[in-house]
């Protein structure tokens, strides 16, 4: 993959000879554009599929140039971290997990941690990114990211950058979109794991606790628990009472089911308690690392019921692998629509998926608040109707 930074002036590209009627020049009634694209925050299956769709749509339909910014916004802060994305660069990307551009959830240009000698300070170096954006001759920047990256995009929009957002996260916690790509792949991975744990749980008459990701919402736990036939699902939106959890396990045992599957969201918390963290926030703007609640719940189950209990923490397995067909299609639709917003000049907006249609909303409407599971909504009621307990 070429790693050269683009330094060509816009005018040079504009005056470059273009073959009349060439495939790369159709529908181009709005002038030439050079657009940047970056992937920010935690990776998730489908990112590469969005990149492929952006590059294909921009080149095949408009004859535009696409510049890949490497490692999220860091690519706008460090020289040499941009390169052209051409059709050949996106060949074979549709089924590939991860992101060919790299990603990071550090390096917010507005709150950048700068270390000088023994001193560390948080500084605003967003002007450096603005300069790079201008130097590259970009007409717009497509930011593929979750809540954190989209908030940064919004701040750049306020500084005059033409940003378009594409929502991604396995957690499915973004407002304004019914679904993010990556979520269904993560649910599939977790479901397959639960299926496998069923057989070993049954053979050994054990309780199996599966800790899944999801940050502060319980979508992955709820949907994989439903799809995998869990007996108990613990989610942040319904703080659990460990006694109720144990009651359910005992009741199953008494009725002849000598094993239980308990799916626990990493953000699940006991009634009156808080989340379990692996590492505290390193700085005001940083994120705490959730994790450990599975072990906590398992130890309590074993102690209170006497049932031998094991824990599986699925962790980053949920972020890897090939996207499901749904996620490939959603990613493709998002990528095409994001280029469409650039074409229309509808900046500061994010593509979203609502009622099976691709639409767009102002980025403000999508960030800041999490889309949580409704504790009394249809999903939870469906699960409870078939006997799944939530520890309440
Ligand atoms: O937001 C996606 C996510 O995978 C969460 O589910 C999880 O809490 C977090 O990212 C893990 O982040 P990291 O990759 O930094 O450990």
């Amino acid at each position: 993959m070429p790693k050269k930074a683009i330094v060509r002036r816009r005018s040079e590209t504009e005056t470059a000879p273009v073959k009349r009627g060439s495939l790369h020049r159709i529908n181009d009634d709005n002038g030439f554009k050079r657009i940047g694209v970056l992937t920010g925050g935690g990776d998730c299956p489908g990112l590469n599929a969005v990149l492929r769709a952006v590059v294909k749509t921009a080149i095949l339909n408009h004859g535009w140039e696409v510049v890949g910014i490497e490692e999220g916004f860091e690519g706008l802060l460090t020289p040499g971290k941009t390169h052209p994305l051409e059709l050949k660069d996106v060949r074979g990307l549709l089924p590939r997990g991860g992101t060919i551009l790299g990603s990071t959830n550090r390096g917010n240009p507005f709150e950048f941690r700068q270390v000088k000698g023994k001193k560390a300070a948080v500084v605003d170096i967003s002007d450096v990114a603005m300069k790079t954006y201008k130097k590259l001759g970009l007409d717009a920047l497509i930011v593929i990211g979750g809540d954190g990256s989209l908030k940064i995009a919004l701040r750049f929009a306020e500084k005059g950058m033409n940003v378009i957002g594409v929502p991604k996260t396995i957690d499915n916690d973004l407002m304004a979109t019914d679904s993010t790509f990556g979520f269904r792949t993560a649910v599939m991975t977790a479901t397959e794991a639960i299926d496998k744990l069923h057989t070993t749980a049954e053979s050994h008459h054990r309780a199996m606790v599966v800790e899944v990701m999801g940050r502060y919402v319980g979508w992955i736990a709820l949907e994989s628990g439903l799809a995998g036939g869990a007996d108990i699902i613990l989610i942040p939106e319904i703080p659990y009472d460990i006694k109720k959890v144990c009651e359910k396990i005992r009741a199953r045992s008494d009725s002849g089911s000598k094993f239980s599957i308990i799916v626990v969201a990493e953000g699940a918390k006991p009634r009156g308690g808080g989340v379990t963290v692996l590492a505290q926030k390193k700085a005001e703007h940083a994120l705490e690392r959730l994790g450990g609640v599975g072990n906590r719940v398992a130890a309590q189950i074993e102690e209170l019921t006497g049932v031998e209990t094991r824990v599986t923490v699925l962790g980053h397995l949920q972020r890897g692998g090939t996207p499901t067909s749904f996620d490939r299609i959603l990613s493709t639709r998002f990528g095409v629509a994001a280029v469409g917003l650039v074409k229309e000049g509808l900046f500061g907006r994010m593509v979203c998926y609502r009622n099976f249609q691709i639409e767009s909303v102002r980025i403000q409407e999508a960030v800041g608040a999490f889309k949580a599971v409704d504790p009394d909504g249809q999903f939870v009621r469906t699960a409870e109707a078939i006997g799944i307990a939530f520890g309440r």
Side-chain angles (χ1 to χ4, degrees):
M1 180 192 309
K3 291 273 178 194
K4 267 193 301 158
I6 290 188
V7 286
R8 259 180 303 163
R9 273 177 294 118
R10 189 178 157 71
S11 54
E12 285 171 2
T13 319
E14 280 184 301
T15 52
V18 178
K19 254 212 280 171
R20 280 260 152 246
S22 90
L23 186 63
H24 292 182
R25 223 46 190 168
I26 54 175
N27 291 343
D28 189 20
D29 50 5
N30 201 21
F32 169 81
K33 287 196 195 315
R34 182 182 291 154
I35 59 173
V37 60
L38 65 80
T39 51
D43 70 341
C44 84
L47 284 171
N48 278 330
V50 181
L51 293 174
R52 170 181 176 267
V54 165
V55 170
K56 283 192 155 202
T57 312
I59 296 177
L60 295 178
N61 291 274
H62 310 303
W64 297 347
E65 278 182 5
V66 184
V67 180
I69 318 285
E70 295 163 29
E71 280 154 50
F73 289 98
E74 272 193 24
L76 290 176
L77 301 174
T78 321
K81 284 198 163 204
T82 62
H83 61 268
L85 282 177
E86 292 165 13
L87 291 176
K88 65 175 171 41
D89 300 312
V90 296
R91 243 171 243 145
L93 278 195
L94 187 58
R96 227 163 99 184
T99 160
I100 56 161
L101 291 179
S103 192
T104 174
N105 38 26
R106 298 180 309 273
N108 175 353
F110 292 91
E111 289 166 12
F112 198 80
R113 195 165 178 273
Q114 221 163 40
V115 185
K116 273 192 187 149
K118 284 188 181 161
K119 281 192 181 160
V122 175
V123 288
D124 179 352
I125 54 167
S126 56
D127 284 343
V128 177
M130 285 304 290
K131 256 190 213 156
T132 312
Y133 171 80
K134 285 181 189 147
K135 196 172 157 194
L136 290 169
L138 298 181
D139 295 288
L141 178 67
I142 296 178
V143 175
I144 311 170
D147 190 73
S149 306
L150 292 170
K151 274 187 193 147
I152 298 172
L154 204 52
R155 293 185 74 177
F156 276 120
E158 283 157 12
K159 282 178 91 97
M161 199 184 272
N162 291 332
V163 296
I164 298 291
V166 177
K168 72 86 227 185
T169 165
I170 62 162
D171 304 332
N172 202 27
D173 59 355
L174 274 173
M175 298 294 285
T177 185
D178 293 349
S179 194
T180 49
F181 63 87
F183 167 64
R184 273 156 220 265
T185 307
V187 168
M188 193 66 224
T189 301
T191 303
E192 283 167 4
I194 296 166
D195 284 348
K196 287 180 177 152
L197 288 168
H198 254 106
T199 53
T200 172
E202 200 167 5
S203 308
H204 288 268
H205 299 168
R206 282 172 170 164
M208 286 288 184
V209 173
V210 193
E211 183 182 305
V212 298
M213 282 185 165
R215 198 93 68 184
Y216 301 108
V217 299
W219 290 109
I220 298 179
L222 180 58
E223 294 210 9
S224 65
L226 260 172
D231 305 300
I232 299 164
I233 302 174
L234 304 182
I235 57 174
E237 295 86 345
I238 306 177
Y240 63 87
D241 176 346
I242 195 69
K243 288 198 195 113
K244 300 270 182 200
V245 172
C246 293
E247 265 170 33
K248 171 74 184 175
I249 294 169
R250 276 194 217 100
R252 279 180 54 77
S253 220
D254 294 347
S255 69
S257 296
K258 303 285 178 204
F259 72 96
S260 292
I261 302 284
I262 304 107
V263 178
V264 183
E266 63 179 356
K269 48 194 178 213
R271 200 178 286 169
V275 292
T276 314
V277 293
L278 283 176
Q280 294 291 345
K281 286 179 177 195
K282 287 215 175 81
E284 179 57 31
H285 57 281
L287 293 168
E288 61 192 358
R289 276 183 65 208
L290 296 177
V293 65
N295 281 299
R296 183 178 176 178
V297 166
Q300 288 176 311
I301 290 174
E302 204 163 70
E303 193 191 317
L304 296 175
T305 63
V307 175
E308 198 177 19
T309 308
R310 294 287 185 267
V311 187
T312 303
V313 180
L314 290 184
H316 291 79
L317 275 178
Q318 295 156 98
R319 295 237 300 255
T322 186
T324 59
S325 54
F326 179 90
D327 281 340
R328 293 181 198 192
I329 295 167
L330 187 60
S331 299
T332 303
R333 294 175 78 187
F334 275 172
V336 171
V339 173
L341 290 180
V342 177
K343 175 89 173 135
E344 300 297 319
L346 294 172
F347 301 116
R349 298 187 73 80
M350 180 192 91
V351 295
C352 63
Y353 177 66
R354 282 171 164 175
N355 296 323
F356 306 104
Q357 295 299 313
I358 303 298
E359 298 175 2
S360 75
V361 286
R362 289 185 317 130
I363 296 177
Q364 283 96 321
E365 289 171 45
V367 299
F370 293 121
K371 182 181 69 187
V373 172
D374 178 353
D376 298 307
Q378 212 177 62
F379 262 105
V380 172
R381 282 191 282 113
T382 300
E384 284 181 328
I386 56 163
I388 297 175
F390 285 84
R392 64 175 167 184

